[in-house]
PDB file of all heavy atoms in Angstrom:
ATOM      1  N   THR A 435      77.670  85.103  29.823  1.00 96.00           N
ATOM      2  CA  THR A 435      76.820  84.251  30.649  1.00 96.00           C
ATOM      3  C   THR A 435      77.349  84.286  32.075  1.00 96.00           C
ATOM      4  O   THR A 435      78.544  84.117  32.323  1.00 96.00           O
ATOM      5  CB  THR A 435      76.763  82.816  30.100  1.00 96.00           C
ATOM      6  OG1 THR A 435      76.290  82.832  28.781  1.00 96.00           O
ATOM      7  CG2 THR A 435      75.861  81.954  30.979  1.00 96.00           C
ATOM      8  N   GLU A 436      76.411  84.518  33.011  1.00 96.00           N
ATOM      9  CA  GLU A 436      76.810  84.600  34.438  1.00 96.00           C
ATOM     10  C   GLU A 436      76.089  83.476  35.219  1.00 96.00           C
ATOM     11  O   GLU A 436      74.831  83.406  35.216  1.00 96.00           O
ATOM     12  CB  GLU A 436      76.418  85.954  35.013  1.00 96.00           C
ATOM     13  CG  GLU A 436      77.246  87.115  34.461  1.00 96.00           C
ATOM     14  CD  GLU A 436      78.686  87.090  34.898  1.00 96.00           C
ATOM     15  OE1 GLU A 436      79.014  86.344  35.882  1.00 96.00           O
ATOM     16  OE2 GLU A 436      79.482  87.762  34.277  1.00 96.00           O
ATOM     17  N   PRO A 437      76.822  82.646  35.925  1.00 94.00           N
ATOM     18  CA  PRO A 437      76.199  81.555  36.688  1.00 94.00           C
ATOM     19  C   PRO A 437      75.396  82.040  37.911  1.00 94.00           C
ATOM     20  O   PRO A 437      74.509  81.315  38.412  1.00 94.00           O
ATOM     21  CB  PRO A 437      77.358  80.665  37.078  1.00 94.00           C
ATOM     22  CG  PRO A 437      78.559  81.568  37.072  1.00 94.00           C
ATOM     23  CD  PRO A 437      78.287  82.580  35.987  1.00 94.00           C
ATOM     24  N   THR A 438      75.723  83.222  38.372  1.00 92.00           N
ATOM     25  CA  THR A 438      75.038  83.741  39.554  1.00 92.00           C
ATOM     26  C   THR A 438      73.788  84.559  39.257  1.00 92.00           C
ATOM     27  O   THR A 438      73.052  84.955  40.153  1.00 92.00           O
ATOM     28  CB  THR A 438      76.010  84.635  40.368  1.00 92.00           C
ATOM     29  OG1 THR A 438      76.465  85.696  39.537  1.00 92.00           O
ATOM     30  CG2 THR A 438      77.195  83.827  40.873  1.00 92.00           C
ATOM     31  N   GLY A 439      73.563  84.832  37.976  1.00 93.00           N
ATOM     32  CA  GLY A 439      72.365  85.576  37.602  1.00 93.00           C
ATOM     33  C   GLY A 439      72.485  87.077  37.647  1.00 93.00           C
ATOM     34  O   GLY A 439      71.516  87.800  37.423  1.00 93.00           O
ATOM     35  N   HIS A 440      73.690  87.585  37.901  1.00 93.00           N
ATOM     36  CA  HIS A 440      73.894  89.032  37.866  1.00 93.00           C
ATOM     37  C   HIS A 440      75.235  89.349  37.222  1.00 93.00           C
ATOM     38  O   HIS A 440      76.193  88.588  37.323  1.00 93.00           O
ATOM     39  CB  HIS A 440      73.781  89.655  39.277  1.00 93.00           C
ATOM     40  CG  HIS A 440      74.785  89.097  40.253  1.00 93.00           C
ATOM     41  ND1 HIS A 440      76.086  89.544  40.353  1.00 93.00           N
ATOM     42  CD2 HIS A 440      74.634  88.140  41.220  1.00 93.00           C
ATOM     43  CE1 HIS A 440      76.698  88.897  41.310  1.00 93.00           C
ATOM     44  NE2 HIS A 440      75.850  88.027  41.861  1.00 93.00           N
ATOM     45  N   MET A 441      75.335  90.526  36.575  1.00 96.00           N
ATOM     46  CA  MET A 441      76.508  90.942  35.848  1.00 96.00           C
ATOM     47  C   MET A 441      76.861  92.360  36.219  1.00 96.00           C
ATOM     48  O   MET A 441      75.957  93.206  36.334  1.00 96.00           O
ATOM     49  CB  MET A 441      76.233  90.822  34.321  1.00 96.00           C
ATOM     50  CG  MET A 441      77.390  91.308  33.481  1.00 96.00           C
ATOM     51  SD  MET A 441      76.949  91.339  31.719  1.00 96.00           S
ATOM     52  CE  MET A 441      75.862  92.770  31.688  1.00 96.00           C
ATOM     53  N   THR A 442      78.152  92.623  36.408  1.00 96.00           N
ATOM     54  CA  THR A 442      78.617  93.961  36.759  1.00 96.00           C
ATOM     55  C   THR A 442      79.420  94.534  35.608  1.00 96.00           C
ATOM     56  O   THR A 442      80.374  93.850  35.125  1.00 96.00           O
ATOM     57  CB  THR A 442      79.469  93.929  38.035  1.00 96.00           C
ATOM     58  OG1 THR A 442      78.650  93.435  39.117  1.00 96.00           O
ATOM     59  CG2 THR A 442      79.932  95.346  38.407  1.00 96.00           C
ATOM     60  N   ILE A 443      79.110  95.752  35.216  1.00 96.00           N
ATOM     61  CA  ILE A 443      79.875  96.478  34.211  1.00 96.00           C
ATOM     62  C   ILE A 443      80.718  97.516  34.940  1.00 96.00           C
ATOM     63  O   ILE A 443      80.178  98.435  35.595  1.00 96.00           O
ATOM     64  CB  ILE A 443      78.970  97.158  33.191  1.00 96.00           C
ATOM     65  CG1 ILE A 443      78.000  96.167  32.563  1.00 96.00           C
ATOM     66  CG2 ILE A 443      79.782  97.884  32.132  1.00 96.00           C
ATOM     67  CD1 ILE A 443      76.974  96.777  31.659  1.00 96.00           C
ATOM     68  N   HIS A 444      82.043  97.380  34.865  1.00 96.00           N
ATOM     69  CA  HIS A 444      82.966  98.258  35.590  1.00 96.00           C
ATOM     70  C   HIS A 444      83.296  99.491  34.745  1.00 96.00           C
ATOM     71  O   HIS A 444      83.518  99.405  33.555  1.00 96.00           O
ATOM     72  CB  HIS A 444      84.234  97.508  35.976  1.00 96.00           C
ATOM     73  CG  HIS A 444      84.000  96.333  36.871  1.00 96.00           C
ATOM     74  ND1 HIS A 444      83.795  96.474  38.218  1.00 96.00           N
ATOM     75  CD2 HIS A 444      83.934  95.002  36.605  1.00 96.00           C
ATOM     76  CE1 HIS A 444      83.619  95.270  38.761  1.00 96.00           C
ATOM     77  NE2 HIS A 444      83.712  94.368  37.818  1.00 96.00           N
ATOM     78  N   HIS A 445      83.299 100.623  35.415  1.00 96.00           N
ATOM     79  CA  HIS A 445      83.711 101.900  34.797  1.00 96.00           C
ATOM     80  C   HIS A 445      82.958 102.134  33.485  1.00 96.00           C
ATOM     81  O   HIS A 445      83.541 102.136  32.398  1.00 96.00           O
ATOM     82  CB  HIS A 445      85.225 101.928  34.541  1.00 96.00           C
ATOM     83  CG  HIS A 445      86.031 101.579  35.735  1.00 96.00           C
ATOM     84  ND1 HIS A 445      86.091 102.377  36.883  1.00 96.00           N
ATOM     85  CD2 HIS A 445      86.829 100.501  35.993  1.00 96.00           C
ATOM     86  CE1 HIS A 445      86.875 101.831  37.785  1.00 96.00           C
ATOM     87  NE2 HIS A 445      87.330 100.682  37.271  1.00 96.00           N
ATOM     88  N   VAL A 446      81.670 102.297  33.603  1.00 96.00           N
ATOM     89  CA  VAL A 446      80.836 102.445  32.399  1.00 96.00           C
ATOM     90  C   VAL A 446      81.232 103.704  31.618  1.00 96.00           C
ATOM     91  O   VAL A 446      81.706 104.691  32.208  1.00 96.00           O
ATOM     92  CB  VAL A 446      79.344 102.505  32.757  1.00 96.00           C
ATOM     93  CG1 VAL A 446      78.870 101.237  33.407  1.00 96.00           C
ATOM     94  CG2 VAL A 446      79.050 103.710  33.665  1.00 96.00           C
ATOM     95  N   SER A 447      81.030 103.647  30.321  1.00 95.00           N
ATOM     96  CA  SER A 447      81.301 104.768  29.422  1.00 95.00           C
ATOM     97  C   SER A 447      80.091 104.957  28.495  1.00 95.00           C
ATOM     98  O   SER A 447      79.123 104.187  28.546  1.00 95.00           O
ATOM     99  CB  SER A 447      82.584 104.551  28.611  1.00 95.00           C
ATOM    100  OG  SER A 447      82.450 103.412  27.783  1.00 95.00           O
ATOM    101  N   ARG A 448      80.204 105.939  27.621  1.00 95.00           N
ATOM    102  CA  ARG A 448      79.099 106.197  26.698  1.00 95.00           C
ATOM    103  C   ARG A 448      78.848 105.006  25.768  1.00 95.00           C
ATOM    104  O   ARG A 448      77.731 104.812  25.292  1.00 95.00           O
ATOM    105  CB  ARG A 448      79.407 107.445  25.852  1.00 95.00           C
ATOM    106  CG  ARG A 448      79.414 108.759  26.669  1.00 95.00           C
ATOM    107  CD  ARG A 448      78.088 109.037  27.293  1.00 95.00           C
ATOM    108  NE  ARG A 448      78.071 110.269  28.039  1.00 95.00           N
ATOM    109  CZ  ARG A 448      77.602 111.407  27.594  1.00 95.00           C
ATOM    110  NH1 ARG A 448      77.134 111.480  26.375  1.00 95.00           N
ATOM    111  NH2 ARG A 448      77.618 112.485  28.359  1.00 95.00           N
ATOM    112  N   SER A 449      79.881 104.230  25.513  1.00 95.00           N
ATOM    113  CA  SER A 449      79.711 103.068  24.621  1.00 95.00           C
ATOM    114  C   SER A 449      78.870 101.964  25.262  1.00 95.00           C
ATOM    115  O   SER A 449      78.418 101.065  24.596  1.00 95.00           O
ATOM    116  CB  SER A 449      81.063 102.509  24.248  1.00 95.00           C
ATOM    117  OG  SER A 449      81.784 102.074  25.385  1.00 95.00           O
ATOM    118  N   ASP A 450      78.683 102.062  26.603  1.00 96.00           N
ATOM    119  CA  ASP A 450      77.881 101.042  27.294  1.00 96.00           C
ATOM    120  C   ASP A 450      76.378 101.356  27.253  1.00 96.00           C
ATOM    121  O   ASP A 450      75.560 100.551  27.732  1.00 96.00           O
ATOM    122  CB  ASP A 450      78.322 100.912  28.753  1.00 96.00           C
ATOM    123  CG  ASP A 450      79.732 100.350  28.878  1.00 96.00           C
ATOM    124  OD1 ASP A 450      80.022  99.376  28.163  1.00 96.00           O
ATOM    125  OD2 ASP A 450      80.537 100.890  29.664  1.00 96.00           O
ATOM    126  N   GLU A 451      76.031 102.490  26.698  1.00 96.00           N
ATOM    127  CA  GLU A 451      74.581 102.799  26.572  1.00 96.00           C
ATOM    128  C   GLU A 451      73.943 101.821  25.591  1.00 96.00           C
ATOM    129  O   GLU A 451      74.557 101.436  24.585  1.00 96.00           O
ATOM    130  CB  GLU A 451      74.370 104.245  26.037  1.00 96.00           C
ATOM    131  CG  GLU A 451      74.505 105.304  27.078  1.00 96.00           C
ATOM    132  CD  GLU A 451      74.044 106.675  26.550  1.00 96.00           C
ATOM    133  OE1 GLU A 451      74.099 106.841  25.320  1.00 96.00           O
ATOM    134  OE2 GLU A 451      73.697 107.505  27.371  1.00 96.00           O
ATOM    135  N   GLY A 452      72.697 101.428  25.878  1.00 96.00           N
ATOM    136  CA  GLY A 452      72.024 100.519  24.977  1.00 96.00           C
ATOM    137  C   GLY A 452      70.834  99.836  25.610  1.00 96.00           C
ATOM    138  O   GLY A 452      70.410 100.168  26.736  1.00 96.00           O
ATOM    139  N   LEU A 453      70.274  98.886  24.859  1.00 97.00           N
ATOM    140  CA  LEU A 453      69.089  98.170  25.281  1.00 97.00           C
ATOM    141  C   LEU A 453      69.526  96.795  25.828  1.00 97.00           C
ATOM    142  O   LEU A 453      70.111  95.979  25.076  1.00 97.00           O
ATOM    143  CB  LEU A 453      68.152  97.994  24.081  1.00 97.00           C
ATOM    144  CG  LEU A 453      66.654  97.848  24.372  1.00 97.00           C
ATOM    145  CD1 LEU A 453      66.122  99.034  25.134  1.00 97.00           C
ATOM    146  CD2 LEU A 453      65.895  97.646  23.057  1.00 97.00           C
ATOM    147  N   TYR A 454      69.244  96.547  27.100  1.00 98.00           N
ATOM    148  CA  TYR A 454      69.707  95.331  27.768  1.00 98.00           C
ATOM    149  C   TYR A 454      68.536  94.419  28.131  1.00 98.00           C
ATOM    150  O   TYR A 454      67.428  94.913  28.412  1.00 98.00           O
ATOM    151  CB  TYR A 454      70.477  95.688  29.045  1.00 98.00           C
ATOM    152  CG  TYR A 454      71.834  96.312  28.828  1.00 98.00           C
ATOM    153  CD1 TYR A 454      71.972  97.647  28.519  1.00 98.00           C
ATOM    154  CD2 TYR A 454      72.996  95.540  28.938  1.00 98.00           C
ATOM    155  CE1 TYR A 454      73.212  98.231  28.306  1.00 98.00           C
ATOM    156  CE2 TYR A 454      74.255  96.098  28.743  1.00 98.00           C
ATOM    157  CZ  TYR A 454      74.333  97.454  28.421  1.00 98.00           C
ATOM    158  OH  TYR A 454      75.565  98.022  28.214  1.00 98.00           O
ATOM    159  N   LYS A 455      68.813  93.119  28.121  1.00 97.00           N
ATOM    160  CA  LYS A 455      67.854  92.135  28.584  1.00 97.00           C
ATOM    161  C   LYS A 455      68.624  90.895  29.073  1.00 97.00           C
ATOM    162  O   LYS A 455      69.838  90.783  28.821  1.00 97.00           O
ATOM    163  CB  LYS A 455      66.880  91.742  27.482  1.00 97.00           C
ATOM    164  CG  LYS A 455      67.515  90.969  26.345  1.00 97.00           C
ATOM    165  CD  LYS A 455      66.463  90.556  25.293  1.00 97.00           C
ATOM    166  CE  LYS A 455      67.119  89.764  24.144  1.00 97.00           C
ATOM    167  NZ  LYS A 455      66.122  89.335  23.140  1.00 97.00           N
ATOM    168  N   CYS A 456      67.895  90.003  29.760  1.00 97.00           N
ATOM    169  CA  CYS A 456      68.528  88.790  30.250  1.00 97.00           C
ATOM    170  C   CYS A 456      67.676  87.578  29.900  1.00 97.00           C
ATOM    171  O   CYS A 456      66.467  87.683  29.678  1.00 97.00           O
ATOM    172  CB  CYS A 456      68.818  88.868  31.740  1.00 97.00           C
ATOM    173  SG  CYS A 456      67.319  88.849  32.742  1.00 97.00           S
ATOM    174  N   LEU A 457      68.304  86.416  29.888  1.00 96.00           N
ATOM    175  CA  LEU A 457      67.636  85.158  29.607  1.00 96.00           C
ATOM    176  C   LEU A 457      68.009  84.163  30.680  1.00 96.00           C
ATOM    177  O   LEU A 457      69.161  83.752  30.806  1.00 96.00           O
ATOM    178  CB  LEU A 457      68.038  84.635  28.222  1.00 96.00           C
ATOM    179  CG  LEU A 457      67.474  83.287  27.804  1.00 96.00           C
ATOM    180  CD1 LEU A 457      65.949  83.327  27.751  1.00 96.00           C
ATOM    181  CD2 LEU A 457      68.065  82.858  26.471  1.00 96.00           C
ATOM    182  N   SER A 458      67.006  83.803  31.483  1.00 94.00           N
ATOM    183  CA  SER A 458      67.246  82.852  32.579  1.00 94.00           C
ATOM    184  C   SER A 458      67.151  81.421  32.019  1.00 94.00           C
ATOM    185  O   SER A 458      66.267  81.114  31.198  1.00 94.00           O
ATOM    186  CB  SER A 458      66.202  83.026  33.680  1.00 94.00           C
ATOM    187  OG  SER A 458      66.302  82.023  34.650  1.00 94.00           O
ATOM    188  N   SER A 459      68.052  80.611  32.456  1.00 89.00           N
ATOM    189  CA  SER A 459      68.101  79.240  31.950  1.00 89.00           C
ATOM    190  C   SER A 459      66.878  78.439  32.417  1.00 89.00           C
ATOM    191  O   SER A 459      66.516  77.426  31.784  1.00 89.00           O
ATOM    192  CB  SER A 459      69.363  78.540  32.423  1.00 89.00           C
ATOM    193  OG  SER A 459      69.447  78.537  33.836  1.00 89.00           O
ATOM    194  N   SER A 460      66.208  78.904  33.496  1.00 87.00           N
ATOM    195  CA  SER A 460      65.109  78.125  34.051  1.00 87.00           C
ATOM    196  C   SER A 460      63.743  78.773  33.846  1.00 87.00           C
ATOM    197  O   SER A 460      62.703  78.090  33.810  1.00 87.00           O
ATOM    198  CB  SER A 460      65.328  77.891  35.549  1.00 87.00           C
ATOM    199  OG  SER A 460      65.422  79.163  36.252  1.00 87.00           O
TER     200      SER A 460
END
Side-chain angles (χ1 to χ4, degrees):
T435 301
E436 292 290 345
T438 58
H440 59 82
M441 177 187 71
T442 300
I443 305 174
H444 298 281
H445 309 294
V446 296
S447 62
R448 293 297 180 100
S449 61
D450 293 316
E451 280 189 336
L453 207 58
Y454 288 80
K455 68 178 181 179
C456 68
L457 177 61
S458 173
S459 59
S460 59

